[in-house]
Amino acid sequence: MDLIIRNAQIFDGLGGQATHGDVAVKAGMIVAIGENLNGTGAEEIDAGGLSLMPGIIDSHTHFDAQITWDSTLAPSSSLGVTSVVIGNCGFTIAPCRPRDRDLVMRNLTQVEGMSIDVLRQGVNWNFESFPQYMDAIEQRGMSTNVAAFIGHSSIRTYVMGADAVERAANSNELGQMKKIIEDGMAAGAIGFSTSTAPQHNGHAGVPMPSRMADPYELEILVNAMGHDGKGIFMLTKGAQTEVSFLESLANSSNRPIMIAALLHNSTKPEATFDELAAIGEARGRGHELWGQISCCPLTNDFTLKSAYPMEGLNAWKPAMKVQGEDLKALLMDPDFRKNVKDELLQPLDGRLFNSEWHKLELIEVNYPKNQHLEGKTVDLLAAEAGQEPFDWMLDFSVSEDLETLFTAVLLNSDEDAVGRMIRDPSASVALSDAGAHLTFFCDAGFGLHLMGHWARDLGAITLPEAIHELTTKPAKIFRIPKRGKIEVGYHADLLLFDPVTVARGAKHRVHDLPGGEARLTTDAVGVHGTWVNGVQVANQNGIIESDQKPGELLRDFYK
Ligand SMILES: [Zn+2]
């Protein structure tokens, strides 16, 4: 035996109570489970009564770029994650022609909040096609398991060039895209991903390419994905995309559909529940639709140089095209301000920001003389200054050379509502967006948050239910074989934790990106070890520095 973890409370992932015992591992697989197992392991661990569960499957990440320079996929494995799905929302970096690399990186900068300098220094472009990308990341190795979507926006840019952000595809282009998806599925993609969401804008505020697709294009491509009876279609849905249309795609392709990002919006409190109900009705008709939700309040840290919460507003678009002094001049322009304020008068379903000024907080000023303002909300600061909140925010930011840091808790902040979403039978808890939005937020510890905050502290669900939600359930939805469960014959992806303390820690800044740039991260609380395919990759102090890369690129999925 390579490893025996003894004296643990074992949650198998199926949702039932824990049983006490030992788990033995050989060649990366679970080979025995029971009380006082015979034999000795090359490594023996006394869990001391702590809890052991399958490693967390994080089905919504954006590690596509990071994985080319960081095989640890920090910080996920330190937070109990043993498998990630990359390439969500259609934002992938393959396929990509050499001439489009800078465009793809600039788009990621905008849409996923990654610094262009980090990407230029970090991404290793040793591939062009999607199958080549798969081979390249597999060869480099990884310390968690990785499954990859093939992404619509990259495919469009590859086939249509500059026209990808202008129009729907013609039949010739559709044929080429179809072929790329079929080849991608044959190379082991987990499915096909796209976005129709209005907040998904690329470089200079131009829509991400997938948003230019018409329903016919989506139908052709989703059917191409499902051609061999495999794959899951994932999309981040704009309000204009109807659940009924997605149900028709599930019907024609006979494949499951994961619908992101269902976040609770207090200005439209029933909207998310209406969507979940529509998804539930489709499921009742035998079509496997899932609503992807988050168990974390959606916070964004931002400056007005890159004001993600505002970028869903049409009237904000001009601000995404200019920088520096030009941006300052625009922000002081009365016409620009009037246009934004007019648009904000009309609350909009699915829009990130709806004039909830009390949810915007000033967290870091640029000049020490302003320090006394930190920690106050924008509505309060504006009232003190006798100004409208929007005017105050712009005036103040310009006076601070646009370096003022704000945080916005815009969505998913109503805990009664989020608890109700978590319990919805059509919902799947994910949406960490790990690997993206690195300067805005870090929800890579969403699994620990579900177990600690929602199960233990609030009792919204039970701990075994939370564990099921993070392990066996996503393994099943995504058709990942032999993972997400503690059972003999399954891969030894394991998480040892203390249910009394398990949580995600406070967010803080670290400077470990290429070029020493900063990102937000959170530390685990109550995690004692993470094992991927039987090899320990993290302990209570975080990721273990090592040359071992026990993760596998997952290429085989069941039907
Ligand atoms: Zn995403």
Side-chain angles (χ1 to χ4, degrees):
M1 230 66 81
D2 298 332
L3 166 71
I4 302 180
I5 300 177
R6 296 191 186 271
N7 185 20
Q9 292 292 335
I10 302 166
F11 291 93
D12 60 9
L14 291 173
Q17 290 301 325
T19 53
H20 184 268
D22 310 338
V23 172
V25 174
K26 193 175 179 187
M29 308 297 283
I30 297 168
V31 291
I33 304 167
E35 276 297 350
N36 302 315
L37 289 179
N38 289 328
T40 34
E43 192 186 359
E44 291 257 344
I45 290 174
D46 179 6
L50 291 172
S51 294
L52 191 67
M53 62 179 271
I56 294 166
I57 297 173
D58 185 349
S59 65
H60 192 127
T61 79
H62 293 279
F63 282 120
D64 302 64
Q66 186 176 329
I67 197 175
T68 74
W69 73 77
D70 170 26
S71 54
T72 70
L73 301 186
S76 286
S77 59
S78 67
L79 299 161
V81 173
T82 55
S83 297
V84 301
V85 181
I86 65 174
N88 279 274
C89 312
F91 312 145
T92 50
I93 58 171
C96 183
R97 295 182 204 283
R99 63 151 201 252
D100 294 328
R101 285 173 187 168
D102 214 62
L103 173 66
V104 165
M105 288 191 284
R106 277 181 283 137
N107 283 342
L108 284 180
T109 299
Q110 191 63 46
V111 76
E112 292 295 1
M114 302 180 187
S115 144
I116 190 69
D117 295 325
V118 168
L119 292 170
R120 282 183 182 145
Q121 289 178 60
V123 176
N124 182 5
W125 289 101
N126 53 348
F127 55 86
E128 178 168 326
S129 69
F130 181 81
Q132 286 167 355
Y133 172 77
M134 294 285 269
D135 290 343
I137 62 173
E138 186 172 49
Q139 242 157 44
R140 193 173 191 286
M142 52 202 83
S143 53
T144 67
N145 306 304
V146 173
F149 279 113
I150 180 159
H152 195 182
S153 281
S154 301
I155 299 172
R156 279 191 132 243
T157 301
Y158 190 83
V159 169
M160 300 172 69
D163 278 1
V165 294
E166 300 287 342
R167 57 173 174 82
N170 61 36
S171 62
N172 174 11
E173 291 158 344
L174 272 181
Q176 292 178 57
M177 289 193 224
K178 218 177 125 191
K179 173 86 168 65
I180 291 171
I181 290 174
E182 285 166 0
D183 292 348
M185 291 304 293
I190 194 168
F192 168 63
S193 68
T194 192
S195 166
T196 63
Q199 71 270 27
H200 281 157
N201 297 302
H203 175 60
V206 173
M208 285 301 280
S210 64
R211 288 180 49 205
M212 293 294 113
D214 57 17
Y216 179 68
E217 177 174 332
L218 283 177
E219 189 186 333
I220 296 286
L221 299 184
V222 173
N223 289 344
M225 173 200 80
H227 184 256
D228 286 332
K230 288 188 179 182
I232 179 166
F233 172 48
M234 177 279 156
L235 83 161
T236 295
K237 177 178 120 33
Q240 77 288 359
T241 307
E242 302 280 348
V243 172
S244 56
F245 168 66
L246 298 174
E247 185 179 2
S248 76
L249 295 182
N251 185 43
S252 66
S253 65
N254 202 19
R255 298 309 307 156
I257 300 186
M258 179 59 72
I259 304 168
L262 302 187
L263 296 161
H264 188 257
N265 187 337
S266 302
T267 63
K268 290 255 180 176
E270 283 307 308
T272 314
F273 297 109
D274 293 345
E275 300 243 85
L276 282 168
I279 290 169
E281 283 161 27
R283 293 165 60 81
R285 289 184 286 267
H287 299 122
E288 190 182 339
L289 269 51
W290 293 96
Q292 192 172 64
I293 65 163
S294 168
C295 66
C296 303
L298 186 69
T299 61
N300 279 287
D301 290 1
F302 68 96
T303 69
L304 289 196
K305 290 189 287 188
S306 178
Y308 193 73
M310 300 290 157
E311 289 175 359
L313 295 161
N314 277 323
W316 189 266
K317 293 274 141 75
M320 296 167 72
K321 297 192 168 81
V322 288
Q323 292 168 337
E325 292 307 313
D326 293 343
L327 176 57
K328 285 189 209 166
L330 178 74
L331 297 178
M332 296 306 284
D333 175 39
D335 288 338
F336 170 78
R337 290 190 181 192
K338 182 174 183 305
N339 292 340
V340 176
K341 283 194 259 186
D342 284 349
E343 191 172 344
L344 278 172
L345 285 178
Q346 200 59 44
L348 203 64
D349 189 14
R351 189 171 73 199
L352 196 53
F353 184 64
N354 289 295
S355 300
E356 299 158 286
W357 296 105
H358 61 287
K359 291 186 176 179
L360 294 195
E361 189 185 308
L362 199 177
I363 51 171
E364 221 174 282
V365 296
N366 190 24
Y367 301 132
K369 62 169 182 176
N370 293 324
Q371 224 146 38
H372 63 287
L373 302 176
E374 287 180 359
K376 292 189 179 179
T377 59
V378 170
D379 68 333
L380 203 78
L381 290 162
E384 284 176 7
Q387 279 186 291
E388 283 188 48
F390 184 67
D391 289 322
W392 180 87
M393 185 171 76
L394 270 54
D395 285 351
F396 186 80
S397 293
V398 171
S399 80
E400 285 217 311
D401 207 23
L402 304 180
E403 294 291 345
T404 317
L405 190 65
F406 297 93
T407 191
V409 185
L410 295 173
L411 300 171
N412 257 26
S413 50
D414 176 340
E415 294 206 314
D416 290 334
V418 175
R420 197 175 138 198
M421 286 161 61
I422 290 172
R423 288 188 296 270
D424 192 292
S426 303
S428 168
V429 179
L431 274 182
S432 80
D433 266 334
H437 305 297
L438 301 174
T439 55
F440 297 137
F441 63 82
C442 175
D443 288 341
F446 79 105
L448 306 183
H449 191 59
L450 187 70
M451 295 195 288
H453 183 71
W454 290 100
R456 182 193 57 232
D457 297 346
L458 297 183
I461 49 173
T462 66
L463 180 62
E465 284 168 344
I467 291 169
H468 175 70
E469 185 67 42
L470 300 166
T471 59
T472 307
K473 183 170 156 183
K476 239 179 172 163
I477 295 173
F478 287 86
R479 278 49 170 183
I480 301 170
K482 304 253 179 251
R483 296 189 191 274
K485 206 193 291 188
I486 297 187
E487 189 174 306
V488 171
Y490 272 60
H491 297 277
D493 296 340
L494 301 166
L495 167 56
L496 184 66
F497 71 100
D498 183 352
V500 177
T501 58
V502 67
R504 61 168 180 168
K507 67 182 174 190
H508 58 96
R509 237 160 261 279
V510 287
H511 294 263
D512 63 355
L513 290 174
E517 288 214 33
R519 68 179 167 91
L520 287 169
T521 191
T522 53
D523 296 329
V525 179
V527 166
H528 289 254
T530 310
W531 287 260
V532 173
N533 298 310
V535 176
Q536 190 169 7
V537 295
N539 59 26
Q540 58 270 40
N541 302 316
I543 292 174
I544 299 168
E545 302 269 345
S546 145
D547 293 334
Q548 297 204 65
K549 296 172 182 173
E552 287 177 17
L553 180 66
L554 308 180
R555 296 182 189 248
D556 288 314
F557 307 94
Y558 56 87
K559 295 199 170 188

